[in-house]
């Protein structure tokens, strides 16, 4: 017999989402426009292990639908909360590019290594620990962590567009 973990859903207010977004904003040096999130229904899924936040269209959703249907993903996943750690999801990265200052654009060969999931050492030092990896066209490519060391920085991919291919493919 399988031990299926029950996932519950509830509609949350944009102010609750903003609490999570505010914490994330500190890491990536962002100033979000909260009015953007008012345009959507915000759904929180949760079980004993983690929570996830989804954005869906602004049409009304009766709670009965969330309670009665066996829904896996009610919308676009933007945040995952696990052990009190807030993890931005890839769809949120596209929005964060507009509102965040901690962005890093690197030469194409280095970008490719990161998108293949490899850590990269560079000579440059950066003033931030977390950043958005972007293309030369300011397109979102991933979330990265930067560790300083004596001779430069180590860039560690946290979650990037190559993740789907490596983990799901």
């Amino acid at each position: 017999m399988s031990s299926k973990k029950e996932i519950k859903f509830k509609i949350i207010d944009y102010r609750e989402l903003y609490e999570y977004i505010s914490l994330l904003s500190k890491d990536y040096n962002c100033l979000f426009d909260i009015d953007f999130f008012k345009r959507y229904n915000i759904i929180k899924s949760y079980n004993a292990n983690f929570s996830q936040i989804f954005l869906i269209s602004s049409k009304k959703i009766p709670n009965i639908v969330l309670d009665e249907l066996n829904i896996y993903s009610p919308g676009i996943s933007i945040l995952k909360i696990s052990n009190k750690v807030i993890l931005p999801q890839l769809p949120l990265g596209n929005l964060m590019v507009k509102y965040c200052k901690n962005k890093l654009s690197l030469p194409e060969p280095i970008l490719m290594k990161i998108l293949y999931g490899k850590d990269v050492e560079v000579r440059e030092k950066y003033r931030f620990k977390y950043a958005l990896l972007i293309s030369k066209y300011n397109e979102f490519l991933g979330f990265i962590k930067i560790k300083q060391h004596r001779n430069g920085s180590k860039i560690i991919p946290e979650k990037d567009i190559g993740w789907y291919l490596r983990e799901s493919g």
Side-chain angles (χ1 to χ4, degrees):
M1 187 172 239
S2 71
S3 60
K4 184 179 174 185
K5 297 192 190 251
E6 184 178 343
I7 298 175
K8 296 184 180 195
F9 296 92
K10 71 177 182 177
I11 297 172
I12 62 171
D13 188 78
Y14 73 92
R15 288 176 285 249
E16 185 176 340
L17 171 63
Y18 194 67
E19 290 176 26
Y20 297 121
I21 294 288
S22 294
L23 295 171
L24 192 63
S25 295
K26 292 175 187 173
D27 287 340
Y28 292 92
N29 194 13
C30 309
L31 186 59
F32 282 99
D33 175 11
I34 191 60
D35 289 334
F36 174 84
F37 297 105
K38 290 180 183 178
R39 294 185 266 171
Y40 296 93
N41 280 314
I42 304 159
I43 301 206
K44 183 177 187 178
S45 71
Y46 55 97
N47 65 20
N49 298 325
F50 68 91
S51 300
Q52 208 161 349
I53 307 290
F54 299 90
L55 292 182
I56 59 172
S57 76
S58 61
K59 294 182 180 178
K60 275 290 192 197
I61 300 170
N63 279 329
I64 190 76
V65 171
L66 296 174
D67 294 338
E68 298 296 320
L69 296 178
N70 187 10
I71 298 172
Y72 172 74
S73 178
I76 298 170
S77 173
I78 60 168
L79 295 173
K80 183 175 179 181
I81 302 136
S82 181
N83 297 324
K84 298 185 181 182
V85 175
I86 299 169
L87 305 166
Q89 299 300 292
L90 292 174
L92 184 61
N94 292 319
L95 179 65
M96 290 175 72
V97 167
K98 297 175 188 174
Y99 297 107
C100 302
K101 292 182 182 175
N102 293 5
K103 298 187 245 185
L104 194 56
S105 180
L106 298 164
E108 192 79 19
I110 295 174
L111 280 178
M112 291 291 104
K113 288 180 183 177
I114 293 170
L115 294 178
Y116 280 106
K118 307 290 184 206
D119 296 355
V120 175
E121 303 265 343
V122 294
R123 288 188 205 129
E124 294 81 6
K125 290 194 176 207
Y126 302 99
R127 296 178 185 218
F128 40 82
K129 185 176 178 180
Y130 295 98
L132 304 172
L133 184 64
I134 59 171
S135 72
K136 62 183 175 183
Y137 304 109
N138 204 36
E139 298 166 319
F140 172 76
L141 299 174
F143 299 102
I144 56 174
K145 185 176 186 177
I146 300 169
K147 288 188 175 180
Q148 304 296 327
H149 57 73
R150 209 171 78 162
N151 298 329
S153 302
K154 182 177 191 175
I155 300 171
I156 304 160
E158 296 268 289
K159 191 173 241 185
D160 55 77
I161 60 172
W163 173 84
Y164 281 124
L165 298 174
R166 292 191 307 273
E167 299 296 321
S168 304

